[in-house]
Amino acid sequence: MTKQTMIVGWTLGLVLAAPLAALQAQAAAAPQAGTTVPAAVSGFAGGDKLALRWELQRTLFSAQAPGGRTQARLILSNKDSRPLPARGWAIYVNFMDGAETGALPSGLVLEQAAGNLFRLRPGPGFAGLAPGQSLDVVYYHPNLVEKLARAPIGPYFVYDADPERGVAIADFQWLPITRPEQLDKGSSGAIAPVTPADTYRRNQRADLLPAAQVPPVLPTPLQLEKGSGMLALTGRPRVEAAGALSAEVKLANALFPAGLPEGGPRLRLAVGSVPGQRSPEAYSLNIRAAGGIDIVGNSAAGVAYGLQTLRDLMPLPGAKGAQLALPEVSIVDAPRFGYRGFQLDVVRNFHRKETVFKWLDLMARLKLNTLHFHLTDDEGWRLEIAGLPELTSIGAVRGHSAKAGVRLQPAYGSGPDPKDPGGSGYFSRADYIEILRYAQARHIDVIPEIEMPGHARAALQAMEARYRRLKAAGSPDAAKYLLSDFEDRSVYKSPQMYNDHVLNPGLDATFTFIEHVVDQVAAMHRDAGVPLHTIHMGGDELPNGAWERSPASLARMKKEGLASTADLWDYFYDRVDGILRKRGLSTSGWEELAARKTTLAGRNKLIPNPRFTQRGFTAWVWNNTEGAEDFAYRLANGGYDIVLAPVTKMYMDMAYNADPQEPGVNWGGYIELDTVYDFIPFDYLKEAEPALRIGKDGLTEYGKGHIKGLEATLFTETVRDPARIDYLVMPRLAAVAERAWAQDPAWARETDPARAAALHRTAWSGFVNALGQRVLPRLDLEQSGLAYRIAPPGLLLDGDRVLVNHVLPGLVLRYTTDGSDPTSASRIVDGPIGARGDIRVAAFDRNGRRGLVARLERR
């Protein structure tokens, strides 16, 4: 008799604890010149002699917390030969979603410093920590900790007697979450972690296709007719094009192997008229064995998209066979939506311009045309603004300081060091102009976002520091750009736990500041030679209670005859819109920009704001959570132009699934590749239960005309490493591109459930096979360094064999049976696995990079 045990879950191909410790080591603050630890406390070395481990102990449910709360502990170890003192120090740490404060059984006290920065300090009964000893610091999270994103991050040590110096605790790790009491969801409704069997069953939605049946182009073109012949590429094509297409000529030449001799077929590029297509991005592509290659676009952008399609049709680099050839084909193509965007947040964690360039290149490949550039927020101001140096000297720097006005506080693990590359950094004027031109060459618009009136803490802190500096110098212009009412006693708290982050519309200086920033952004676009049509002016998450007890705001309301802060909101954006209109720009922002706060049956409710429907506002709608599934449609039906950016479908910072170790957050749910692919832009709720559709508005024909497009959104709270962007965004961004470019597939239009399911299987099989067999392998071979997520295989125990599959059919799968993780030399999975042991399976890309490992134990 044999023992057969399935190990629930799968292991990450990246080890979380080690990179985290490495990141903290990089963030360790070097001793400042001339600084010494005071003699009163110099017996203990400080943070570099401490070790810290975090462990989720158990989830708890009660009548007071039916949704659950979490008991956790920090294991604090003294690695020094001297004791940790009984008083005179603090450990600072970031909790993304907060923690319950107060005295703890360990003798320490947990306090909120500001926002998501907390500190542990000795309480009256703490006796110190002897050398070599450890202390369990038990505390509670007020909610379920389902993801490691909610674990503490970025701990550092500060002596009270040396308050300006923080030293990162580099020896810091999260312990795994695997035990039943750690994973218990109670009756909260939270989703359980997936198992390899769950993954196998989900992967069964698709079939492995032979190469000849794999769709040749993604996103799916409007019309494609295959010919019967092949165009031999005996040499590099001779590119013929007008001078205005110099960027496209450069792209065309880059498509073909450098080693090809001259004298190949003709490749003609032209701007002309694509029959039947009015979109300026439309193109036609014709490949004929006897006639060469012709690409005609309604604009240069159309020509560029035709070239990206030609790239898809090329044989993979290094393909077997002596002769390169292209299939005869005739394609007429145009995008479904004129707006196809990707939002990149460089605020929560900063990312350099080289990373921006990398994603602009990938956007161009996927025929996305807009970079929504999230440049300012509470945790940073990332763009140089002439005349306001504090915005970057203070607002772009995070690190420890006990003094106000020196820099922003640490956030999202950036630690105490003001040189930490994730916490600190900004784009100079020259950097931004370079990014604009790089994007323009790829036919990508850049929409800068300047967050307001909430999410503005970096600006407020910087302008307050400016005020105090100039006031001390006796300058009469000290308050010219001041954004804070010092007498404001309003009580509010943002989702990020700030209570000092809102611009004040009662101050004329607020609008002077906005005018100056808008003028400087517009000037950079002019100097780059890149048109600016709109600036995204934020608008999201203004907390209830803001402005209500501000003398400046109340005076403004009285002067303008405003009855409520909702009216003050309208006043604020009326003036903001006037600033933009005066400069020939339109106003855009998050959905709240187009919404009006009101109440229904005593509860807060957002409705389309009737005041701005004729202003030409564009609203990015993220909220399709329970109860607001139809909000985008209601705004569109009411006359607002809408970009669909639904959190439950297209937020790339959401984790793929509920495995605690899976990177990302989950406040908007989990988003697998098929979650994105299955999104139906004009009918969110097509597949929903009938009860969920009751009372929800559908999209009218008038409303459809106001849906301008789709956007993938990446916020970077959990993204300190550029490789983590790769992991979270790809391959999901390819599914966003498919939905934004291609028409609704047949399965989305079919009303019969059985026929719709069959059509979906065919279409989904084509999409994932194209990704697995063509798109991602081409990226492996042509654009090295893109560490996209390679999902774990599915494993299912079936009698005496283990069945294996993958979400991307065509990837090479390898396995081991001795408990070691597979390598690029391990055995290839070529059918069911009949062996016994600790079976581990992973997929590999064309460069031998291993994906996530699935595990099943069969004895």
Side-chain angles (χ1 to χ4, degrees):
M1 191 170 182
T2 61
K3 177 184 176 185
Q4 296 177 339
T5 305
M6 190 161 198
I7 304 296
V8 176
W10 42 268
T11 61
L12 283 169
L14 63 161
V15 179
L16 289 171
L20 179 61
L23 287 171
Q24 296 306 325
Q26 292 169 11
Q32 299 172 3
T35 298
T36 59
V37 178
V41 292
S42 61
F44 182 76
D48 54 349
K49 290 296 184 178
L50 291 175
L52 198 61
R53 301 290 181 267
W54 176 83
E55 181 184 45
L56 189 157
Q57 291 186 291
R58 59 181 55 83
T59 57
L60 305 167
F61 302 90
S62 65
Q64 292 75 29
R69 57 200 280 263
T70 299
Q71 178 180 316
R73 67 171 175 168
L74 290 163
I75 307 168
L76 179 64
S77 300
N78 181 1
K79 301 190 297 179
D80 201 356
S81 59
R82 293 154 293 187
L84 175 66
R87 61 189 57 81
W89 56 267
I91 292 174
Y92 287 78
V93 66
N94 291 122
F95 288 98
M96 183 184 292
D97 293 331
E100 296 179 11
T101 57
L104 304 177
S106 59
L108 302 182
V109 177
L110 182 60
E111 302 170 332
Q112 183 180 14
N116 62 29
L117 183 65
F118 287 70
R119 63 174 165 253
L120 283 164
R121 62 172 180 80
F126 182 68
L129 189 62
Q133 297 299 302
S134 295
L135 177 70
D136 278 2
V137 183
V138 177
Y139 72 96
Y140 295 88
H141 292 258
N143 42 38
L144 282 187
V145 176
E146 301 170 77
K147 306 296 295 178
L148 285 173
R150 289 180 171 173
I153 190 171
Y156 64 94
F157 184 90
V158 177
Y159 273 120
D160 295 355
D162 191 15
E164 286 301 304
R165 183 173 183 260
V167 178
I169 300 176
D171 188 357
F172 171 55
Q173 292 184 20
W174 296 326
L175 300 181
I177 301 174
T178 56
R179 302 192 306 270
E181 69 272 20
Q182 295 174 309
L183 297 168
D184 181 21
K185 309 300 181 186
S187 58
S188 65
I191 297 173
V194 297
T195 67
D198 296 332
T199 301
Y200 183 89
R201 296 183 186 99
R202 190 168 192 142
N203 292 346
Q204 284 185 301
R205 301 176 72 197
D207 302 305
L208 174 63
L209 301 180
Q213 295 180 23
V214 175
V217 178
L218 283 181
T220 303
L222 194 62
Q223 302 170 24
L224 186 153
E225 295 182 7
K226 294 181 179 180
S228 58
M230 300 291 289
L231 171 64
L233 296 176
T234 54
R236 294 180 63 81
R238 293 164 289 139
V239 182
E240 301 175 1
L245 294 176
S246 58
E248 286 64 47
V249 170
K250 183 177 179 181
L251 172 60
N253 284 321
L255 296 183
F256 300 94
L260 280 179
E262 300 296 328
R266 288 195 303 173
L267 170 53
R268 293 174 289 272
L269 309 178
V271 173
S273 178
V274 179
Q277 302 302 321
R278 294 187 297 177
S279 167
E281 297 175 299
Y283 69 90
S284 63
L285 167 63
N286 289 282
I287 302 174
R288 294 289 178 266
I293 307 165
D294 286 278
I295 297 176
V296 176
N298 278 349
S299 68
V303 174
Y305 295 138
L307 286 166
Q308 295 295 353
T309 295
L310 179 62
R311 184 202 299 271
D312 279 355
L313 295 168
M314 292 278 293
L316 288 177
K320 294 179 180 179
Q323 189 180 68
L324 295 175
L326 287 166
E328 286 191 320
V329 69
S330 178
I331 293 174
V332 174
D333 200 7
R336 180 184 189 183
F337 292 112
Y339 184 101
R340 304 177 305 281
F342 173 49
Q343 187 222 255
L344 178 61
D345 163 26
V346 293
V347 180
R348 269 58 182 276
N349 277 296
F350 183 65
H351 295 277
R352 300 173 57 185
K353 65 182 179 182
E354 291 77 12
T355 298
V356 180
F357 295 157
K358 171 181 173 178
W359 284 96
L360 288 169
D361 285 337
L362 187 59
M363 289 173 66
R365 279 180 174 248
L366 296 174
K367 302 186 175 81
L368 299 174
N369 67 358
T370 307
L371 174 67
H372 173 182
F373 211 6
H374 190 84
L375 290 166
T376 77
D377 213 300
D378 294 320
E379 299 85 5
W381 184 285
R382 305 302 189 185
L383 180 62
E384 179 183 14
I385 298 295
L388 297 176
E390 286 86 356
L391 283 174
T392 47
S393 66
I394 293 172
V397 181
R398 293 206 302 254
H400 177 75
S401 178
K403 299 176 183 178
V406 175
R407 59 184 69 97
L408 302 184
Q409 69 189 45
Y412 306 116
S414 57
D417 185 1
K419 295 181 180 179
D420 176 79
S424 301
Y426 66 93
F427 299 111
S428 69
R429 193 175 186 280
D431 290 335
Y432 186 68
I433 288 173
E434 188 178 359
I435 289 169
L436 292 177
R437 290 172 175 165
Y438 196 92
Q440 184 185 50
R442 288 150 183 79
H443 305 285
I444 295 172
D445 291 332
V446 176
I447 298 179
E449 179 178 355
I450 309 298
E451 271 280 18
M452 61 184 67
H455 285 289
R457 191 170 190 262
L460 267 75
Q461 298 269 317
M463 292 301 94
E464 183 175 332
R466 176 189 183 276
Y467 164 79
R468 297 193 186 282
R469 174 177 63 83
L470 294 179
K471 188 173 186 296
S475 171
D477 289 333
K480 183 177 181 179
Y481 298 111
L482 183 64
L483 306 175
S484 310
D485 175 6
F486 294 135
E487 302 303 318
D488 189 355
R489 299 295 181 265
S490 301
V491 178
Y492 62 85
K493 185 170 70 172
S494 76
Q496 293 75 30
M497 296 175 284
Y498 295 114
N499 58 9
D500 58 353
H501 73 305
V502 178
L503 300 184
N504 196 304
L507 303 173
D508 287 334
T510 293
F511 301 101
T512 304
F513 172 82
I514 295 169
E515 283 186 314
H516 183 83
V517 170
V518 168
D519 283 341
Q520 292 303 313
V521 171
M524 283 184 267
H525 279 255
R526 283 196 303 273
D527 290 350
V530 176
L532 177 67
H533 304 292
T534 187
I535 299 177
H536 192 293
M537 304 301 288
D540 63 317
E541 294 187 327
L542 179 71
N544 292 326
W547 305 333
E548 291 180 354
R549 296 171 61 186
S550 161
S553 288
L554 293 173
R556 177 77 72 187
M557 291 169 63
K558 182 177 180 180
K559 179 182 177 181
E560 301 293 337
L562 308 176
S564 67
T565 53
D567 294 322
L568 187 57
W569 169 275
D570 288 355
Y571 170 85
F572 176 80
Y573 271 109
D574 183 59
R575 287 194 62 171
V576 169
D577 183 50
I579 290 169
L580 292 174
R581 282 175 173 268
K582 185 177 179 180
R583 291 153 177 81
L585 304 172
S586 64
T587 300
S588 57
W590 294 107
E591 63 193 49
E592 293 94 332
L593 196 74
R596 170 81 181 191
K597 280 186 178 181
T598 185
T599 58
L600 176 65
R603 300 179 63 183
N604 292 326
K605 184 176 179 63
L606 293 177
I607 63 171
N609 192 334
R611 181 163 183 168
F612 300 128
T613 54
Q614 303 305 312
R615 294 284 187 90
F617 284 11
T618 301
W620 276 246
V621 182
W622 61 267
N623 189 4
N624 70 322
T625 58
E626 185 176 354
E629 296 91 346
D630 63 341
F631 189 49
Y633 296 164
R634 288 192 282 122
L635 289 176
N637 293 342
Y640 285 101
D641 287 344
I642 298 300
V643 173
L644 298 175
V647 62
T648 69
K649 299 289 185 178
M650 294 193 177
Y651 262 45
M652 304 287 101
D653 46 307
M654 296 298 136
Y656 283 84
N657 58 53
D659 189 284
Q661 281 75 231
E662 181 69 52
V665 296
N666 70 335
W667 63 267
Y670 301 107
I671 301 179
E672 289 278 11
L673 180 63
D674 56 5
T675 311
V676 185
Y677 179 85
D678 289 349
F679 176 59
I680 304 174
F682 287 168
D683 192 355
Y684 276 21
L685 298 176
K686 183 177 187 294
E687 304 300 327
E689 296 294 329
L692 190 59
R693 300 178 67 99
I694 295 174
K696 300 295 191 301
D697 285 2
L699 192 60
T700 64
E701 288 302 314
Y702 170 78
K704 286 180 181 179
H706 284 285
I707 303 295
K708 298 305 177 183
L710 310 181
E711 178 168 286
T713 299
L714 178 71
F715 285 105
T716 57
E717 291 98 328
T718 65
V719 185
R720 286 179 52 76
D721 184 343
R724 181 60 56 84
I725 301 179
D726 302 354
Y727 182 95
L728 289 171
V729 174
M730 281 296 287
R732 293 188 291 194
L733 191 63
V736 175
E738 175 72 4
R739 283 293 147 263
W741 181 278
Q743 298 296 310
D744 261 349
W747 58 264
R749 304 189 301 270
E750 178 58 55
T751 57
D752 179 72
R755 286 181 54 81
L759 290 168
H760 182 281
R761 186 178 189 87
T762 298
W764 173 241
S765 295
F767 177 75
V768 293
N769 276 271
L771 281 181
Q773 297 192 45
R774 294 188 178 174
V775 175
L776 295 177
R778 188 179 298 281
L779 286 170
D780 292 337
L781 299 169
E782 292 182 354
Q783 187 169 329
S784 61
L786 184 69
Y788 57 85
R789 180 181 187 260
I790 305 176
L795 305 179
L796 183 67
L797 190 61
D798 180 35
D800 288 332
R801 60 183 189 167
V802 177
L803 305 180
V804 185
N805 64 11
H806 198 271
V807 66
L808 299 177
L811 263 62
V812 174
L813 304 178
R814 296 180 180 273
Y815 75 100
T816 60
T817 59
D818 61 359
S820 64
D821 287 339
T823 70
S824 57
S826 298
R827 287 169 288 184
I828 291 178
V829 177
D830 56 6
I833 299 172
R836 301 184 184 279
D838 184 350
I839 299 170
R840 301 190 183 196
V841 189
F844 290 78
D845 73 5
R846 289 298 178 99
N847 296 318
R849 181 173 64 92
R850 185 181 65 211
L852 304 177
V853 179
R855 179 186 177 197
L856 184 150
E857 189 172 324
R858 179 169 175 263
R859 300 297 181 185

